[in-house]
Amino acid sequence: MAEPNLPPIPDFLPVVPTTNLVVFPFMMSPLSVGRAVSLAALDAALQSHRLVVITMQKDDDIEAPGPDDINEIGCVCAVLRMMRTPEGNAQVLVQGLVRARLTEINLADGSLSARVETLPDTEEKPLAVQALMNNLLLTFGRIVELSPALPPEAFEAAQTQTNPGQLADMVASVLNLEPPARQELLDLTNVQKRMERISELAAGEISVLELTNQIQQETRKELDKGQREFILRQQLREIQKQLGEENEGADIDDLRAQIEAANMPPAARKAADRELDRLARMPAASPDHAVTRNYLDYLIAVPWSKSTDDNLNLHHAKQVLDDEHYGLEEVKDRIIEYLAVRHLKPDTKGPILCFVGPPGVGKTSLAKSIARALGRESVRMALGGVRDEAEIRGHRRTYIGALPGRIVQGLRDAGTNNPVIILDEIDKLGADYRGDPTSALLEVLDPQQNDTFKDHYLEVPIDLSKVMFITTANILDTIPPPLRDRMEIIRIPGYTEEEKVAIARRHLLPRQMEENGLRPEDLFISQGALRQIARGYTREAGVRNLEREVGRVCRKAARKIAEAIGVTDEEGKGTPVRPRPHLCVTAYNLEDYLDQAKVESEMGGREPQIGVTTGMAWTPLGGEILFIETTKVDNGGGLVLTGQLGDVMKESAQIAYDFLRSDAGKSLIANGKKTEEKGGVHIHVPAGAIPKDGPSAGVAITAALASLLSGRPARHDIAMTGEVTLTGRVLPVGGIKEKVLAARQAGINTIILPERNRADVKDIPEATRSELKFEFVMEVREAIAHVLMPAGKRPPTRKPKPVTTPMEQDTDRTDPAMH
């Protein structure tokens, strides 16, 4: 019989083996391809003639079929469309062209190929074929009438077929047949035999459909809505079992049970039921199936009604905080106050705390301790470098690979609706064309709004009012004011030397000894040695480097012990040859473990000089002292500024210079007019590679210029800070505690502060305040009077509180806290 026009078919074609799928000629079929052998064959076809041979495997369980594992009769198909998925699979649409026999099947380069012999249809008795064709049309029309899955257009398309072979293949492709039966029909090239076999199978299909319709009609009459739903589900399970899809029905029931147990609020429950109904009607091969399933999984995973009971025992909370952190009384008091309020008013909303301080002062670990004190779960989110708003609010489900935001994921990880969520490094959030995450946090960190927070992925209200948010930052300047306004700022400044020693004894040393395999009796580090480490080997506001240096001592001690005890064999096994030694590290032998001290005092070797003063500065890493150096230059007048000074600091220098040239300033110096006529002034702040900015150096710059212009030496052992106006007034500045601690560590014993900063001195520990002398000034002329010395004189000596000698420092050798 005549065959329709076909494209030229090469002798050799790539082969795509399938499981449970048979493609008939002139029928379009979608298929999902994931195996490497099939993907390689498709790639080979797309690179040449876009033709492949699709044939079914003999055994479905074979993952990598070979030449002997596939049927020899297949269908030559044209690849119409192929789309790659993110998982590495491919969705392919093919159209069958002609039956083919596969010979000389080869497996090479990871793909199958074979010689192709096309098999045209054969027809022996035209009249019998015509009669079978008419009968098959009537049978197929009845199937379309009874089957709800087939549209009327299917029968209309069958009526337009004039080729008996194509009609048989079309009916075979839409009948509900088992894969072996489909392969049997593909193997039949004789049209008459093929139509006879299809007529038998179609008659059986009609019997099943008629019986199903009869059962449905009888059931609909006798059962109410609930019973009908139950029976239909039972029928669905049986049908899925026959089709090998029983797991899908079980998954739907499992999801329904999980939704019921989640105890969702009405809006979330409505969304879950709607999506579950869609999922139940959706075939597993649909691209939306995985999207809907993932959405339901996340919706169920949100702890809508699961919460932990707060431990409101104030004594317990104070004990936990004191055991894990030394000092930080302001933060501890704030947490105790929160617990007290919760005790009196259980439905109060959680505070939004922001811990601000230099690195290494324990902001994140303190937040975790708060969670342990409350008995809550804790989740930490690092926000440094986050630039996409979707990281907070989530992606909309229209995007491929969409996920909820970090807030929802944090709730899921915590498993409760009232955890402590730690938003680390909130000052390092970024913004770009994808959105501003700080704007998204405005709703999250607002107790008046976050009870109806909406994630773009879930699109249902989520109550965040029970969550206790704690954020951390190094500086506040980079946090937008609207976001900063929603948080309660708690500053955690740097530690004093005494606090560092206490932290090292209580926390750092025991932790490092445990990490390095040392027992309490193996190593003792005296208080004098710890003080020397903090003073001579680190220079920081926190204690991170201090812990590193303590760890170095512990590793050195571990090596000494390991070398001393010895072992019985070369493999390191057996009983030690000698007993373990007991090591004692003091200020005398510390250099045996840490070599020579790394940090030298900035004040070492300095003496009073003309035109040089000592200022104080605040940095995100803590306080610093800086030296203001001035000298006269012959440049025709004016200021020369060096040292990487920012705009604000340049303005401070200009203000100081102009003030001293004014009538009020000239009274403080003897030769101001003379200097102005001769030339200008060069102001330099050392460490020129480090940018410096801020108004707090105004007093130090003014004093340095006054010393230069008057020719009187400036005391080097006085540090000062404060902003200066054109009229000589001294304005308050920030970071007083950090600046004072840095000056004390450098050996300064006198501090000049603005009068309006007097209250800030109370934040400095009493032990440090007792070692320092504070001078509070309202005008810069008062500071100049304290700093400038008569020409040719040296400053009076005022020694700071004596530092104990190494022997005195080691008197706590038998302190039970170290053993």
Side-chain angles (χ1 to χ4, degrees):
M1 63 183 301
E3 288 288 330
N5 294 329
L6 297 175
I9 298 176
D11 293 337
F12 281 88
L13 286 176
V15 178
V16 177
T18 63
T19 59
N20 298 329
L21 177 65
V22 175
V23 180
F24 291 95
F26 298 96
M27 297 297 111
M28 290 189 181
S29 297
L31 65 151
S32 180
V33 179
R35 295 185 295 185
V37 62
S38 301
L39 292 173
L42 288 171
D43 290 338
L46 292 177
Q47 293 174 4
S48 55
H49 36 63
R50 301 181 71 89
L51 297 178
V52 295
V53 180
I54 296 180
T55 182
M56 191 173 68
Q57 296 178 197
K58 298 176 182 178
D59 187 354
D60 297 344
D61 297 330
I62 299 176
E63 183 64 24
D68 298 331
D69 302 321
I70 59 177
N71 289 293
E72 64 175 4
I73 302 298
C75 182
V76 177
C77 299
V79 180
L80 302 182
R81 186 170 63 249
M82 178 176 172
M83 181 178 67
R84 294 277 186 174
T85 65
E87 294 80 11
N89 302 334
Q91 299 293 333
V92 186
L93 179 65
V94 300
Q95 182 178 17
L97 298 179
V98 65
R99 288 173 172 79
R101 186 186 306 279
L102 308 183
T103 60
E104 299 181 21
I105 304 174
N106 299 316
L107 177 62
D109 297 331
S111 64
L112 289 169
S113 61
R115 181 183 291 276
V116 176
E117 177 188 346
T118 58
L119 301 175
D121 289 342
T122 59
E123 184 179 331
E124 298 176 355
K125 300 178 180 180
L127 292 179
V129 170
Q130 186 63 40
L132 288 170
M133 184 175 178
N134 295 336
N135 179 67
L136 184 58
L137 278 174
L138 294 176
T139 305
F140 185 66
R142 180 60 176 164
I143 291 176
V144 173
E145 180 183 349
L146 294 174
S147 175
L150 294 177
E153 291 78 9
F155 180 63
E156 295 175 2
Q159 288 180 312
T160 61
Q161 293 290 343
T162 58
N163 188 305
Q166 290 187 27
L167 175 63
D169 290 339
M170 176 183 174
V171 175
S173 65
V174 299
L175 287 182
N176 187 16
L177 303 178
E178 296 293 331
R182 292 177 177 271
Q183 183 64 39
E184 177 188 356
L185 294 176
L186 185 67
D187 293 343
L188 293 175
T189 59
N190 186 287
V191 176
Q192 180 176 341
K193 294 181 180 180
R194 190 193 314 160
M195 297 190 72
E196 290 174 353
R197 179 58 178 154
I198 292 177
S199 298
E200 295 176 6
L201 297 172
E205 183 77 9
I206 290 176
S207 301
V208 173
L209 291 172
E210 289 177 343
L211 180 60
T212 301
N213 288 340
Q214 181 181 357
I215 293 174
Q216 290 177 348
Q217 292 175 0
E218 293 175 356
T219 303
R220 192 178 301 114
K221 294 177 182 179
E222 298 176 0
L223 301 179
D224 58 13
K225 182 179 179 180
Q227 292 173 318
R228 181 166 64 250
E229 183 177 345
F230 175 77
I231 296 299
L232 289 175
R233 294 191 186 282
Q234 292 297 111
Q235 291 179 348
L236 180 61
R237 288 194 187 96
E238 185 62 28
I239 293 172
Q240 289 174 338
K241 183 177 180 181
Q242 296 296 328
L243 295 176
E245 301 175 354
E246 63 271 20
N247 290 335
E248 184 176 347
D251 288 345
I252 297 296
D253 292 340
D254 185 45
L255 286 173
R256 182 172 284 104
Q258 293 180 35
I259 292 173
E260 192 70 31
N263 195 16
M264 301 178 182
R269 179 60 185 268
K270 183 178 179 181
D273 291 340
R274 181 179 64 248
E275 295 299 323
L276 184 63
D277 292 340
R278 289 185 64 245
L279 185 68
R281 297 191 301 268
M282 195 182 301
S286 172
D288 290 337
H289 186 278
V291 175
T292 305
R293 176 58 189 266
N294 288 340
Y295 175 80
L296 286 172
D297 288 341
Y298 273 107
L299 199 61
I300 293 170
V302 174
W304 301 101
S305 58
K306 299 178 183 178
S307 60
T308 56
D309 296 330
D310 285 346
N311 188 342
L312 300 179
N313 188 320
L314 305 185
H315 177 74
H316 166 76
K318 190 174 187 307
Q319 185 67 35
V320 171
L321 295 175
D322 288 341
D323 289 344
E324 298 185 2
H325 291 84
Y326 182 83
L328 306 178
E329 297 303 327
E330 179 185 357
V331 186
K332 296 177 182 177
D333 289 344
R334 181 62 183 88
I335 301 305
I336 300 301
E337 292 168 2
Y338 167 72
L339 291 179
V341 173
R342 287 277 298 177
H343 186 75
L344 300 178
K345 192 175 186 297
D347 59 344
T348 185
K349 295 183 178 180
I352 312 296
L353 303 180
C354 180
F355 296 158
V356 180
V361 296
K363 300 184 294 295
T364 304
S365 61
L366 179 61
K368 293 180 179 179
S369 297
I370 292 172
R372 284 191 289 271
L374 293 173
R376 295 189 183 189
E377 299 293 331
S378 65
V379 179
R380 176 183 171 272
M381 302 179 190
L383 299 182
V386 172
R387 296 178 176 271
D388 191 353
E389 180 186 354
E391 293 283 340
I392 307 299
R393 290 189 176 274
H395 304 78
R396 300 194 181 276
R397 282 191 290 160
T398 53
Y399 298 109
I400 297 176
L403 288 174
R406 293 195 180 188
I407 302 299
V408 172
Q409 294 185 38
L411 290 176
R412 180 199 61 181
D413 296 341
T416 63
N417 60 10
N418 63 340
V420 175
I421 295 184
I422 306 166
L423 303 177
D424 237 348
E425 309 293 349
I426 196 172
D427 57 326
K428 297 176 179 60
L429 282 170
D432 60 11
Y433 65 92
R434 289 167 291 187
D436 184 2
T438 58
S439 300
L441 284 174
L442 291 177
E443 180 184 5
V444 175
L445 300 181
D446 191 338
Q448 305 302 323
Q449 301 181 29
N450 61 11
D451 56 343
T452 57
F453 171 74
K454 266 196 174 183
D455 184 271
H456 287 164
Y457 182 82
L458 297 182
E459 294 183 335
V460 294
I462 301 174
D463 186 3
L464 299 179
S465 61
K466 299 178 182 179
V467 178
M468 184 175 185
F469 289 98
I470 298 178
T471 65
T472 70
N474 296 132
I475 56 176
L476 290 176
D477 297 344
T478 57
I479 304 177
L483 181 60
R484 190 165 63 238
D485 181 64
R486 284 163 166 77
M487 300 183 293
E488 179 180 346
I489 307 299
I490 298 179
R491 297 184 180 274
I492 304 179
Y495 296 112
T496 65
E497 187 175 284
E498 290 74 15
E499 289 174 334
K500 290 182 180 180
V501 173
I503 292 171
R505 290 179 60 193
R506 294 187 182 187
H507 305 289
L508 307 184
L509 179 58
R511 181 164 63 232
Q512 287 298 321
M513 290 180 65
E514 181 180 357
E515 290 182 0
N516 290 281
L518 297 176
R519 300 180 303 194
E521 61 271 17
D522 290 338
L523 175 66
F524 171 74
I525 302 180
S526 70
Q527 182 170 342
L530 293 175
R531 185 181 300 275
Q532 182 63 22
I533 294 174
R535 178 180 300 170
Y537 293 84
T538 64
R539 178 62 57 86
E540 57 177 344
V543 292
R544 283 181 180 162
N545 287 329
L546 177 60
E547 183 171 8
R548 293 189 184 101
E549 298 301 325
V550 172
R552 287 181 59 195
V553 174
C554 292
R555 290 192 296 273
K556 290 279 188 180
R559 177 178 177 179
K560 290 177 181 292
I561 292 174
E563 292 174 346
I565 61 177
V567 290
T568 57
D569 54 39
E570 295 181 355
E571 297 181 357
K573 300 178 181 179
T575 305
V577 176
R578 292 178 293 276
R580 296 168 71 102
H582 174 74
L583 301 179
C584 182
V585 180
T586 67
Y588 288 114
N589 63 352
L590 180 62
E591 291 190 358
D592 295 340
Y593 293 82
L594 292 180
D595 301 326
Q596 191 173 359
K598 302 176 181 177
V599 179
E600 296 182 359
S601 173
E602 294 94 331
M603 305 304 296
R606 285 191 174 269
E607 295 181 352
Q609 289 181 269
I610 296 176
V612 179
T613 58
T614 304
M616 297 184 293
W618 179 92
T619 71
L621 302 180
E624 294 280 349
I625 67 168
L626 48 84
F627 299 99
I628 309 298
E629 300 179 351
T630 61
T631 187
K632 301 175 184 178
V633 293
D634 188 9
N635 63 349
L639 279 176
V640 177
L641 303 174
T642 57
Q644 282 281 18
L645 306 185
D647 292 338
V648 177
M649 204 165 180
K650 290 178 181 178
E651 291 176 358
S652 297
Q654 188 65 53
I655 289 171
Y657 185 61
D658 291 343
F659 168 74
L660 293 174
R661 289 166 54 193
S662 67
D663 292 338
K666 290 176 183 177
S667 63
L668 300 176
I669 54 179
N671 56 347
K673 183 68 176 175
K674 184 178 179 181
T675 301
E676 179 185 355
E677 293 173 354
K678 284 189 172 183
V681 175
H682 183 176
I683 301 177
H684 176 67
V685 183
I690 302 175
K692 312 168 191 69
D693 201 7
S696 60
V699 173
I701 294 176
T702 306
L705 286 175
S707 171
L708 176 69
L709 299 178
S710 65
R712 296 165 58 188
R715 291 181 56 173
H716 69 290
D717 58 345
I718 297 180
M720 63 205 80
T721 185
E723 181 179 358
V724 175
T725 69
L726 273 175
T727 59
R729 291 183 59 83
V730 177
L731 302 182
V733 292
I736 296 299
K737 182 176 180 181
E738 292 88 343
K739 294 175 181 177
V740 171
L741 293 180
R744 177 65 189 93
Q745 190 172 11
I748 301 292
N749 54 25
T750 303
I751 307 293
I752 296 178
L753 298 176
E755 176 64 35
R756 290 165 61 183
N757 283 120
R758 183 184 292 268
D760 296 326
V761 177
K762 296 179 181 179
D763 297 334
I764 302 171
E766 177 62 30
T768 302
R769 291 206 308 267
S770 63
E771 298 177 354
L772 297 172
K773 177 183 178 182
F774 292 95
E775 301 288 351
F776 299 97
V777 298
M778 288 288 294
E779 296 186 354
V780 72
R781 57 174 51 88
E782 301 175 37
I784 293 174
H786 286 296
V787 175
L788 296 191
M789 303 166 50
K793 287 192 176 182
R794 305 182 68 85
T797 58
R798 181 182 181 272
K799 297 182 179 179
K801 187 176 180 179
V803 178
T804 55
T805 63
M807 183 61 70
E808 293 170 335
Q809 293 170 341
D810 294 336
T811 55
D812 61 341
R813 183 170 301 178
T814 58
D815 187 349
M818 299 296 295
H819 297 278

